[in-house]
Amino acid sequence: MTDFLPILVSFIIVFSLLSMGATSGIWSEKSGIINIAINGGFIFGAFLYSIVNSNKGFVDSVGPFAIYVGALLAFIGGGLFSILLAVPAINFKADQVVVGTGINMLATAISIFVVSFVFKEASLKIYQPTTGKMIIASAGATTFTGHHLILLLITFIVCGVTWFAFKKTSFGLRIKTAGENPKSLEEMGVSVKKIRYQSIIISGAIAGLGGMAAILYTNNDFNGNVLGMGFVALAIMIMGRRKIGGSMLFAAAFAVIFAVIKHYLPQDSGFKHIINMIPFISPIAVLALAKLFKYEINDPASLGKTYEKGER
Amino acid sequence: MDTKVKKMPKNFDALDKKMDRVFKKPFYSMTAIVIGLFVGVIIIAIMGANSGVFLASIVRGSFGSLPFFGTFIANMTWLGLAGLAFGVAYKVKQFNIGLVSQMIFGGIFAYWLGFYNNMGPIGFVVMIFVGGLVGSAVALLIGVLKTRLKVNEVITSIMMNWIALRFMQWFTDRNAFNPKADFTHVSGDAEFTKNIWQGKGGYQNAMNYGLERAGLGAFNWLIIVFVLAAIILGFVYKFSTWGQKTKIISNSPKVAKVTGINSEKTILQSYAISGLLAGFAGVALYLGVENGAFPQDAQAVPTKGFQGIGVSLIAFNNPFAVILVGGFIGMLESSTQAVGSQMPKESVQIVVALIIIISTTIVFFLNVDWGHKFSLYREQRKVKMHKRFGEEIPSLGNRISIYSKKTREKINKKIKRGGDK
């Protein structure tokens, strides 16, 4: 079991990335807004995170706290970025899938534009200080570092808070009602639009935080994409029936697939491209088999519909 | 009111509505494009780039010289075909983002066929059709999964895009299956294959001479396919039974069920056509523009296909309008060749993404009767003030002075009919 640790490290990175993405999707879709823009949120979060952490002077002066600063910036920035989805989707009757696609394009374009034009580089590399208490980990790291522990901790906190919010608080219940039957929520005297705004901003913030894991997945090197993990997270959220437990379970299963592919299957032959298709074929297979095995996946009743006050 | 109103022509209302229908959507499109361009230029300027250069290059990159114009035509072809492909699926409320995968698969199979077989002068026609059919097959796979197994088509098509990307990497990888390495061992006419490789077709004649002077190849004859397809689809959706069926399916699925429309069949047909057009678009992009150079180390799905979605959305899914909007986005796309290294390529993507987002919201903004909304707001405020000071709320007739002219007429009508007080 000499090479158990690298597999564990890959597992943790992919697991936290996917479960944070799925959690982000749950917040948004439970409130009735389709969120295709998880990938865009990842990219934007990773972009902000890597801006902070690729700055040599800043990382040297602050030390390991640069990680927290980056994560906080990604969290806030992701939340603000998601307003771009919220405004057209909630107020202006826009097609939510279309807006999401536009946002995904915009996140990639803006981040590459800034990296290549403002920073004049091909990609933003995370600066790793040689001295300091904490070694910043990468996906290829062979040692289990504090960074991974923090990442796992953040993931569990995010998932736990989400579970608590949806199961135990009235706020969660309101979000679920906004997705299922917004009219009854309005009749109770709660503003549907306000609830949807809140949940989408939380969703975007979590996606931004997921960018922190995404940067580890792309080997501490940001060049404007996260290898489509946002879309895999979206599929995982749907497979997990938009529930936190199911999503985490599927995220773990996919993390195992990713880790095994990375470490056990040959990476040097041309065959690797076919192997790398597996993570993208399997969601389709699972969703196709779900119907046959009577694993029902029901969308929230008013998913994708803009609610207007006073409509019947 | 005892002022004599001049009698209006009988059909004035109908005419008015028709004018509205004809001119509204082009106006929306133009507004979305202008606002998107404006915001995009501001963002680019904030980041410190010279946005004047960018704006000038939009015109210069397309019409500056004959080769530039050729590239513009080539770009317009694939963008327009991709826009039509997305639009056909969107007419039945199917969101085919998988058109990127259909483009990749279509392009690769057409390339593969042309590379290993010598088919003489009609080779490029066969290649185009093979590309289209492969794209159609991929789209049908998504459609069957959607209609039979109820798998969300957005998920399937996004995953399809990534599968296509991996397939492309496998295809171009030196270790596995590298056409470049086998270049000298190809059977048949080496000159032909070489020309196919360069996207020029296998022969010289007078007809191609004009195209080649503009830096175009055989595959850019697809511009004719694009324009014809747009016109045919426009008429099909307007006048045929099939077009009406798609309208009913997208607007009210329940009615479609009651009236006995086989919506599954229509959706699958739409997917097939969509995939066919996307396959053509792939051939036009990868063989006509990129000359058979598939990006070897691409880490993400090529964003070029997604711009086709933008074309369709900005055109409000009208096949005729796709021709014009395809031309406009083609201009944006070819602007990069005039800018050179002064401006990153992503500036075009920023603008297109902004235009997409704005075009979804513009309909809402322009449909609102702002004067009416404002007068409603003023009325509410007035009522509030009256309540606060304990005064009697005046009846609607007395409140009328606060309204705009248009609203006043409406209320007068209402009072005449003896409705609301």
Side-chain angles (χ1 to χ4, degrees):
Chain A
M1 297 296 279
T2 45
D3 53 354
F4 175 72
L5 265 178
I7 293 173
L8 183 71
V9 168
S10 308
F11 173 83
I12 287 172
I13 290 169
V14 177
F15 170 72
S16 19
L17 180 57
L18 290 180
S19 41
M20 264 197 259
T23 314
S24 156
I26 287 169
W27 275 98
S28 166
E29 301 224 346
K30 281 272 184 191
S31 79
I33 306 289
I34 302 170
N35 193 352
I36 295 274
I38 299 172
N39 204 47
F42 275 173
I43 291 172
F44 201 69
F47 170 57
L48 292 177
Y49 179 82
S50 57
I51 280 182
V52 172
N53 280 282
S54 65
N55 192 334
K56 224 174 186 176
F58 182 75
V59 176
D60 272 337
S61 61
V62 182
F65 284 103
I67 295 170
Y68 304 119
V69 175
L72 192 68
L73 197 66
F75 188 74
I76 296 166
L80 293 179
F81 192 63
S82 69
I83 292 176
L84 212 56
L85 169 69
V87 174
I90 297 169
N91 279 352
F92 301 141
K93 289 186 183 176
D95 190 318
Q96 293 157 6
V97 182
V98 175
V99 180
T101 312
I103 287 173
N104 283 335
M105 274 176 77
L106 195 67
T108 314
I110 283 190
S111 54
I112 297 181
F113 188 97
V114 171
V115 169
S116 64
F117 195 79
V118 179
F119 292 95
K120 305 244 187 281
E121 274 173 71
S123 63
L124 287 178
K125 288 190 173 57
I126 302 294
Y127 172 62
Q128 307 188 8
T130 44
T131 55
K133 280 176 188 169
M134 196 155 56
I135 303 160
I136 295 172
S138 74
T142 48
T143 48
F144 186 82
T145 63
H147 198 170
H148 295 125
L149 205 63
I150 289 166
L151 192 65
L152 205 59
L153 202 67
I154 289 177
T155 308
F156 276 110
I157 288 171
V158 163
C159 291
V161 167
T162 306
W163 179 86
F164 183 80
F166 277 111
K167 282 278 173 195
K168 305 284 175 192
T169 65
S170 58
F171 178 58
L173 194 64
R174 280 172 182 174
I175 288 175
K176 277 191 269 186
T177 322
E180 294 289 351
N181 191 351
K183 192 165 178 274
S184 70
L185 194 65
E186 198 75 51
E187 277 165 1
M188 271 161 48
V190 182
S191 167
V192 174
K193 284 181 180 174
K194 198 174 156 193
I195 291 285
R196 283 187 174 174
Y197 263 107
Q198 286 167 347
S199 62
I200 287 192
I201 288 170
I202 292 171
S203 157
I206 293 172
L209 201 59
M212 184 186 166
I215 209 85
L216 287 176
Y217 183 69
T218 55
N219 289 327
N220 282 336
D221 188 8
F222 178 76
N223 57 357
N225 75 73
V226 292
L227 305 176
M229 294 304 272
F231 297 122
V232 179
L234 184 75
I236 279 170
M237 178 209 45
I238 290 174
M239 280 189 279
R241 295 174 174 179
R242 297 183 180 79
K243 279 181 179 135
I244 200 83
S247 299
M248 280 174 85
L249 210 66
F250 273 106
F254 269 74
V256 169
I257 292 177
F258 272 92
V260 166
I261 283 174
K262 192 169 172 63
H263 291 282
Y264 278 114
L265 294 177
Q267 285 289 318
D268 49 342
S269 72
F271 194 58
K272 72 176 175 192
H273 299 302
I274 302 294
I275 293 168
N276 282 333
M277 278 182 195
I278 294 171
F280 299 106
I281 293 176
S282 39
I284 301 179
V286 170
L287 287 171
L289 290 175
K291 179 86 193 298
L292 300 179
F293 288 106
K294 295 188 176 158
Y295 176 77
E296 274 181 32
I297 298 167
N298 294 325
D299 294 351
S302 85
L303 185 66
K305 291 173 193 153
T306 309
Y307 178 72
E308 244 197 313
K309 222 172 175 178
E311 79 178 4
R312 289 172 198 194
Chain B
M1 293 230 295
D2 44 16
T3 47
K4 207 172 182 184
V5 182
K6 203 179 173 187
K7 208 170 187 186
M8 281 178 180
K10 210 176 180 185
N11 269 339
F12 188 81
D13 260 19
L15 191 72
D16 199 32
K17 266 181 192 167
K18 196 169 185 183
M19 296 300 266
D20 229 33
R21 214 168 51 224
V22 172
F23 289 111
K24 219 172 196 176
K25 282 185 176 171
F27 180 61
Y28 290 164
S29 299
M30 297 289 277
T31 323
I33 286 173
V34 168
I35 296 176
L37 209 56
F38 187 69
V39 177
V41 163
I42 287 176
I43 288 180
I44 290 167
I46 285 172
M47 288 172 187
N50 189 346
S51 39
V53 172
F54 174 68
L55 281 177
S57 69
I58 291 173
V59 180
R60 212 153 48 81
S62 321
F63 303 107
S65 67
L66 196 57
F68 280 5
F69 184 69
T71 317
F72 159 65
I73 291 287
N75 278 328
M76 178 183 167
T77 310
W78 73 261
L79 276 164
L81 280 168
L84 279 183
F86 180 79
V88 169
Y90 202 54
K91 285 268 185 196
V92 283
K93 281 279 180 290
Q94 295 299 307
F95 203 82
N96 184 13
I97 329 179
L99 76 95
V100 181
S101 70
Q102 290 139 32
M103 280 167 74
I104 293 174
F105 275 119
I108 283 179
F109 276 94
Y111 175 80
W112 176 75
L113 189 77
F115 197 85
Y116 284 103
N117 299 293
N118 185 5
M119 288 169 293
I122 55 143
F124 79 97
V125 180
V126 179
M127 284 162 72
I128 286 171
F129 271 95
V130 165
L133 289 179
V134 170
S136 191
V138 174
L140 270 177
L141 179 65
I142 298 173
V144 168
L145 282 171
K146 167 76 184 181
T147 50
R148 289 290 148 85
L149 296 173
K150 303 276 179 269
V151 183
N152 192 338
E153 86 276 9
V154 176
I155 300 289
T156 326
S157 44
I158 289 169
M159 295 300 154
M160 242 16 217
N161 290 346
W162 284 87
I163 292 168
L165 175 77
R166 299 295 180 211
F167 185 81
M168 182 167 80
Q169 286 173 340
W170 178 67
F171 183 79
T172 51
D173 198 318
R174 284 189 181 280
N175 298 321
F177 183 72
N178 186 13
K180 283 180 198 167
D182 294 334
F183 197 73
T184 51
H185 305 296
V186 178
S187 60
D189 186 6
E191 198 58 34
F192 170 68
T193 45
K194 206 174 174 184
N195 281 335
I196 286 287
W197 169 258
Q198 290 165 350
K200 281 182 182 169
Y203 56 98
Q204 300 275 337
N205 60 24
M207 218 159 80
N208 262 5
Y209 182 67
L211 273 178
E212 274 180 31
R213 268 195 67 202
L216 292 171
F219 297 102
N220 298 108
W221 286 113
L222 274 166
I223 183 87
I224 296 171
V225 176
F226 158 51
V227 175
L228 273 181
I231 292 170
I232 291 170
L233 278 176
F235 281 113
V236 161
Y237 279 117
K238 198 139 185 77
F239 296 115
S240 77
T241 333
W242 192 77
Q244 287 303 314
K245 273 185 194 171
T246 59
K247 218 175 251 177
I248 295 170
I249 288 169
S250 62
N251 286 339
S252 45
K254 277 180 192 165
V255 173
K257 210 174 183 181
V258 171
T259 47
I261 293 170
N262 190 347
S263 48
E264 250 184 39
K265 193 175 149 197
T266 315
I267 288 173
L268 282 180
Q269 283 165 343
S270 297
Y271 264 116
I273 297 170
S274 169
L276 186 77
L277 292 168
F280 287 163
V283 174
L285 171 61
Y286 290 111
L287 302 183
V289 180
E290 314 253 328
N291 293 337
F294 294 96
Q296 203 160 353
D297 298 324
Q299 287 298 310
V301 171
T303 44
K304 280 198 162 173
F306 290 118
Q307 298 188 2
I309 298 173
V311 172
S312 168
L313 292 171
I314 298 160
F316 286 99
N317 215 353
N318 184 336
F320 297 120
V322 164
I323 301 176
L324 297 175
V325 177
F328 176 73
I329 306 286
M331 276 169 74
L332 278 181
E333 186 70 32
S334 11
S335 73
T336 44
Q337 59 181 342
V339 186
S341 56
Q342 296 172 42
M343 185 86 62
K345 271 185 256 169
E346 280 67 36
S347 47
V348 174
Q349 279 174 25
I350 290 177
V351 171
V352 173
L354 282 169
I355 291 176
I356 288 178
I357 295 172
I358 288 165
S359 69
T360 56
T361 59
I362 203 83
V363 181
F364 178 85
F365 273 111
L366 298 180
N367 268 336
V368 173
D369 183 352
W370 288 108
H372 181 64
K373 271 232 154 157
F374 184 60
S375 54
L376 275 182
Y377 167 73
R378 272 172 58 177
E379 185 208 2
Q380 277 172 3
R381 257 192 70 181
K382 199 150 193 177
V383 170
K384 229 183 226 172
M385 295 303 269
H386 277 290
K387 271 183 186 166
R388 185 182 293 171
F389 296 111
E391 290 173 20
E392 195 185 335
I393 298 165
S395 68
L396 196 58
N398 294 341
R399 271 188 277 148
I400 209 163
S401 62
I402 63 167
Y403 292 111
S404 68
K405 197 181 166 191
K406 207 172 168 184
T407 322
R408 242 182 288 158
E409 279 165 10
K410 270 184 200 169
I411 293 168
N412 273 332
K413 258 187 205 168
K414 226 179 190 178
I415 291 170
K416 258 188 191 171
R417 268 192 263 120
D420 194 348
K421 248 193 232 175

